Structures are given as structure tokens and as C-alpha cells.
Amino acid sequence: MNRNSPFSYVCNACGRCCHDKVITLSPYDVLRIARTRRITTAEAIARYTIRRGSILKFTDHGACIALEGVRCGMHRGRPLACRLYPLGIERIDDSSDEQFVKLEPATGSLSVYGDQAAVEDFLAEQQVAPHLDANARYGSLLPKFRERIDAIVDFDLVEPREFRRRAIREALAESGYDPNAIIDAIFDSDSVGCARDDDAATVSAHLAVLSTMICDERYPETLAAAAVLLAVSLGYSPSEAMR
Ligand code: SF4
């Protein structure tokens, strides 16, 4: 489906779609959660996420940690995946090309799918534009990661597939991972001094800090794991981090 495809969706607030999901968070999602809850990004990571800020936390009973009864406790700052639901975005590579897919309704869902409007209308209603814009800006870091890795790794001596495999394993580990200051900085913009009055300015400051960190980093493993986690958090495949 593209933006002109027929699509409509009526949410009947049953809360079923807020259970039993794996919801990937971007750096901008974490920022929006923090601002909506009036906490720092470090507190947002600790309270609402797992895997270093990159996945929304769910309880042992399968409910999103932000669910209050059948209502979202952070509706204004809900992540992009929640805004898009029941649509998902598919990307082939790090171009801006996008395709939308319709996701299956959650078991017992009271929501109603239809075709009375277009995908574009649904996206506008859910206010996804700031999220997509911010994600595109963070995506501009991926080529910087690739350039820096290529500059400091001699792939005649290091086996590229094994290097990638190790990076993916490290980035996607939910525990027991190595300290990684770049990953910490990717999700915790406040702790690296990027808090500004508005979100777009925060993202600008954050991108500048992250760019400097990437250029200064001397350990390829640190760069590679951070690149993979950023790529995944933005909805790309891990291989987009290192081609
Ligand atoms: S953040 Fe809100 S909308 Fe998203 S899964 Fe949690 S409760 Fe549901």
C-alpha cells in the first residue's frame, strides 16, 4: 500500500493491541516519551524500555507498561509504531521509499478496518510526520557509521561477515552486553547535553553530538554495534548498518 491507498480504521479503545507486542523505539520515540511524562530520557529508558532504550517494556502479563486500564498513559507521546498501528512501514533500504502493510487485528480486538479514506489521511490524523522526519534525520547517521568503520577496519584482515555477525549479536542482546557510550548517547539525548526548548532543536543538537562521537570513536566493535542498533530502531534491517 502507498499513501494514496484506501484505508480507514476505527479504534474502539479495547486496549487489545497494547498487549503481547514487540515495539521498537527510535531515539525520537524515547525523547517524546520523556517529554510527555515530564521526565529525563534516562528515566524514560529505565521506566519504559528494555534493550538499552530500543524496545518498549511490557509486563509479565503481556500488557504495555504504559497501559492504564484500556487507555494509553502516554497517548500524546506514544511511539511511532503505536501511531501507525494497524499499519506498518516497510523499507527496502535506507532510501526514503516507503510501503505500508496492514497488520492483523489483535485477538479479541473491537477495532474496525475499512476503506473510507486513504492511508495519507490516517497518517495525518495520527500525527506521524514529526516522527518520520526525525527518523529520517537520525538515518543520516548510518552512512557516517559506515564511513568511519571503513576508515578504521582493514577488511582484508578482518572477515566482514564475522564482523557483522558479532555486531548484530552484540547490538540485539537483551542482557550481558558490553558498555557502549554511543548506544547510551543514541537513546539518552538529555545525558549528553542535548535538551532544548523544542524537540526539533533537541534532535539537531543530538545529531551534532552523535556525529562527533562517531568521528572520534576508535573501536570498530563499538561503532558497529551502535550502528546496528540505530538501524533497527529506525525500522531498517541490521545489514543496513554495514553494507
Ligand atoms: S505506548 Fe500506549 S499505545 Fe503504545 S502499546 Fe503502550 S499503551 Fe498502547
Side-chain angles (χ1 to χ4, degrees), residues 15 17-19 21 23 33 56-58 63-68 71-75 77-79 81-83:
C17 61
C18 303
H19 290 75
K21 295 277 189 316
I23 295 181
I33 291 170
L56 189 61
K57 190 187 284 182
F58 279 62
C64 171
I65 195 80
L67 192 63
E68 296 175 358
R71 296 173 57 83
C72 176
M74 53 187 184
H75 186 72
R78 67 198 184 285
C82 304
R83 291 170 190 272

Side-chain angles (χ1 to χ4, degrees), residues 33-205:
I33 291 170
R35 296 299 180 261
T36 301
R37 301 304 281 182
R38 298 179 189 278
I39 55 179
T40 64
T41 49
E43 289 171 306
I45 290 166
R47 279 195 216 172
Y48 294 107
T49 81
I50 60 171
R51 204 175 68 188
R52 310 201 239 198
S54 67
I55 293 183
L56 189 61
K57 190 187 284 182
F58 279 62
T59 68
D60 293 342
H61 301 294
C64 171
I65 195 80
L67 192 63
E68 296 175 358
V70 292
R71 296 173 57 83
C72 176
M74 53 187 184
H75 186 72
R76 279 185 49 246
R78 67 198 184 285
L80 175 62
C82 304
R83 291 170 190 272
L84 285 172
Y85 186 86
L87 295 179
I89 292 186
E90 280 186 344
R91 290 197 178 87
I92 309 301
D93 52 31
D94 67 358
S95 73
S96 56
D97 294 344
E98 58 185 14
Q99 284 291 318
F100 298 90
V101 289
K102 214 185 293 181
L103 305 174
E104 287 295 314
T107 308
S109 169
L110 299 178
S111 57
V112 181
Y113 290 63
D115 56 7
Q116 278 83 44
V119 167
E120 183 73 81
D121 302 313
F122 178 73
L123 300 181
E125 194 181 300
Q126 297 298 319
Q127 300 179 321
V128 303
H131 286 259
L132 295 178
D133 290 349
N135 286 1
R137 296 181 71 194
Y138 282 106
S140 69
L141 294 174
L142 294 175
K144 292 184 199 293
F145 273 111
R146 290 196 292 265
E147 276 167 32
R148 182 66 185 146
I149 291 169
D150 286 345
I152 61 176
V153 179
D154 183 348
F155 283 111
D156 288 333
L157 300 175
V158 175
E159 213 287 301
R161 274 179 305 185
E162 180 56 23
F163 180 77
R164 278 191 211 105
R165 250 196 308 274
R166 280 209 308 271
I168 292 169
R169 194 169 55 227
E170 172 64 14
L172 304 187
E174 291 191 13
S175 60
Y177 37 71
D178 295 332
N180 188 314
I182 301 181
I183 290 180
D184 293 345
I186 284 173
F187 294 100
D188 188 1
S189 50
D190 289 346
S191 292
V192 286
C194 300
R196 301 289 186 273
D197 287 342
D198 71 84
D199 294 341
T202 299
V203 171
S204 296

